[in-house]
């Protein structure tokens, strides 16, 4: 007889209620790329019930039947229909004032009408992003979960779905915890919920799970390598076609994996000429498609070379943050970000501090913008915790698996401003190594700290990086801009440095001559002073202003800030440009 049957109050004393679910987390290895295949959107109204104390897991809300309240034999604490109707995707923080700062779990429920298609068809739930972790239940049965607040996951529903109506429940939880990535302290807003698309993907019994195709680095732009991974360890072959390159080739597949290198001389992708090629890979009944740009990014000494030509990355950082959408991005919001980057004269965006929506790199591919994509190994992390490393590495590998074919992404950032300890060094060197193993075609970077004793750019992590990121705020947090010159004079990094952040707060409309903090005038002067040093330092090969838009941060509570970090070149309305925007645009034009 079960514990509950003996003691109906057992759940009150059971703190092991969440044990076992983590074993059902899916990872990058099981991620299914969309591959241009049709999906059924599950966007729209879902019932949502907040669950601050994890009652849903303690009392197994997911296992309760649909008996109407009038016929309950015993009282309950959960009733699906009593939940609020909310739109998915969305951040719960912005749906009701009383939910603004909610940090806990929430139960999303909707009906899923299932009619199986061709025999052997498989069904996958594709969740593009939920912060921070999620558990999925179909008809009361746990089918899997995921952790990582900004990366996608694929959960197979095939065995759990019944013909006709099914109850689909997703528990999302956004608590900040010391063992998570990021940890519980960061300078952005902790949104929660199913904030990106939730879709159903139907696939044949054996399908293409992931595929990668790129120029072979160092091949003189004349060789393309591709890998294809199937859903199952079967032998056979796939056919890749790139019609515009006259490529049609068979790829031998052994135990579910195939590799092929073929000669080709594609028109190279670049910001000036963002050429994309239609690529198709067929295996059995499955067709995978993508539009891929072929380019080479590498470093040589202290320069960064794109297709063999030195480049300077002139740009800005940007958060996923919106006054009405929160962390949810839609296409209009993303296209506005890229338009503003263009108006700034930028060729580069740093997607801070976590994987952004998949559409950002897809549009950047079309528009010809270079991107630094990163995982939120941010400030303090529980660097000695193996589970925390596994979480960070999985977020990195999910980002790489999702965006591996995006020409616009030129570097993977493995961390930001992390104090140097032996545990941090091992953790981040491990991530850098893993990034290169997963993707030898891109650079690896991190925003490093400077050596304060020597006041120089020195970080042993740099031995594992291709590009050293430096966040510097000389003229803001450290008043004396001369310290930037001192840092440059003391440093000889031996590899390219990108100023991965530099900026000053400004409240729009607050003006003043000289170093008036939070004034538009000082923010503008700040960039003139930065560029005067950066432009004449040969080993600085990029600069990302911090940042494009003001964004929510609860750490910021002065009268100038009122819950926003105001280093944006544009206010949080994403319309009002501050004086610094035009000044920096001019500086970039002159730098070009
Ligand atoms: C740091 C940090 C950012 C933060 C910024 C600031 O460099 O990386 O995430 O928002 O400083 O203080 O504005």
């Amino acid at each position: 007889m079960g514990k509950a049957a003996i003691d109906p109050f057992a759940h009150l004393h059971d703190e092991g209620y969440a044990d076992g679910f983590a074993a059902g987390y899916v990872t990058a290895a099981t991620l299914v790329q969309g591959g241009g295949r049709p999906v059924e959107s599950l966007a729209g109204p879902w019932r949502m019930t907040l669950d601050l104390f994890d009652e849903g897991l303690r009392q197994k809300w997911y296992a309760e039947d649909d008996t109407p309240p009038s016929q309950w034999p015993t009282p309950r604490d959960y009733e699906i229909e009593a939940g609020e109707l909310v739109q998915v995707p969305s951040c719960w923080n912005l749906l009701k004032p009383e939910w603004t700062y909610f940090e806990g779990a929430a139960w999303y429920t909707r009906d899923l009408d299932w009619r199986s298609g061709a025999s052997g068809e498989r069904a996958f739930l594709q969740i593009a992003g939920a912060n921070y972790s999620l558990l999925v239940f179909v008809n009361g049965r746990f089918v899997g979960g995921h952790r990582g607040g900004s990366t996608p996951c694929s959960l197979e529903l095939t065995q759990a779905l019944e013909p006709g109506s099914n109850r689909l429940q997703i528990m999302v939880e956004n608590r900040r915890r010391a063992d998570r990535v990021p940890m519980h302290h960061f300078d952005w807003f902790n949104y929660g919920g199913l904030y990106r698309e939730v879709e159903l993907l139907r696939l044949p019994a054996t399908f293409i799970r992931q595929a990668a195709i790129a120029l072979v680095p160092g091949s003189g732009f004349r060789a393309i390598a591709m890998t294809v991974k199937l859903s199952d360890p079967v032998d056979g072959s796939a056919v890749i076609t790139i019609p515009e390159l006259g490529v049609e080739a068979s790829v031998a597949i052994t135990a579910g994996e195939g590799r092929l290198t073929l000669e080709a001389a594609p028109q190279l992708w670049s910001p000036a000429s963002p050429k994309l090629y239609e690529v198709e890979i067929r295996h059995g009944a499955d067709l995978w498609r993508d539009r891929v740009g072929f380019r080479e990014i590498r470093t040589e000494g202290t320069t960064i070379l794109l297709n063999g030509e030195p480049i300077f990355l002139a740009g800005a950082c940007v958060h996923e943050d919106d006054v009405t959408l929160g962390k949810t991005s839609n296409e209009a919001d993303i296209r506005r970000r890229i338009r503003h980057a263009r108006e700034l004269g930028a060729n580069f965006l740093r997607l801070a501090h976590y994987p952004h929506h998949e559409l950002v790199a897809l549009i950047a591919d079309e528009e010809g913008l270079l991107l630094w994509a990163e995982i939120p190994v941010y400030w303090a992390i529980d660097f000695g915790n193996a589970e925390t490393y596994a979480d960070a590495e999985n977020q990195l590998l999910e980002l790489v698996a999702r965006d591996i074919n995006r020409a616009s992404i030129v570097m993977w950032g493995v961390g930001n401003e992390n104090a140097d300890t032996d545990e941090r060094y091992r953790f981040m060197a491990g991530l850098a190594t893993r990034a290169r193993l997963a993707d030898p075609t891109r650079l690896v970077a991190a925003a490093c700290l400077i050596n304060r004793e020597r006041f120089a750019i020195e970080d042993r992590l740099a031995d594992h990086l291709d590009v050293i990121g430096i966040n510097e705020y000389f003229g803001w947090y450290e008043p004396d801009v001369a310290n930037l010159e001192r840092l440059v004079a003391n440093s000889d990094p031996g590899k390219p440095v990108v100023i991965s952040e530099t900026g000053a707060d400004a409240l729009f409309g607050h003006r003043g001559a000289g170093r008036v903090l939070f004034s538009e005038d000082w923010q503008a002067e700040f960039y003139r002073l930065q560029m005067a040093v950066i432009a004449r330092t040969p080993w600085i090969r990029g600069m990302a202003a911090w940042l494009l838009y003001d964004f929510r941060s609860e750490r910021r509570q002065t009268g100038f800030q009122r819950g926003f970090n105001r280093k944006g070149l544009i206010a949080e309305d994403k319309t009002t440009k501050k004086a610094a925007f035009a000044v920096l645009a001019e500086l970039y034009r002159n730098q070009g």
Side-chain angles (χ1 to χ4, degrees), residues 187 353 378 416-417 471 473 477 501 546 556 565 567:
D187 192 29
H353 280 293
Y378 180 93
N416 183 76
E417 291 188 352
N471 298 350
Y473 288 89
Y477 292 118
E501 282 181 36
W546 184 262
R556 311 298 184 158
N565 181 313
K567 294 187 185 68

Side-chain angles (χ1 to χ4, degrees), residues 263-275:
E263 278 207 21
Q267 180 187 332
L268 299 180
W269 182 95
S270 71
S273 168
K275 171 66 179 170

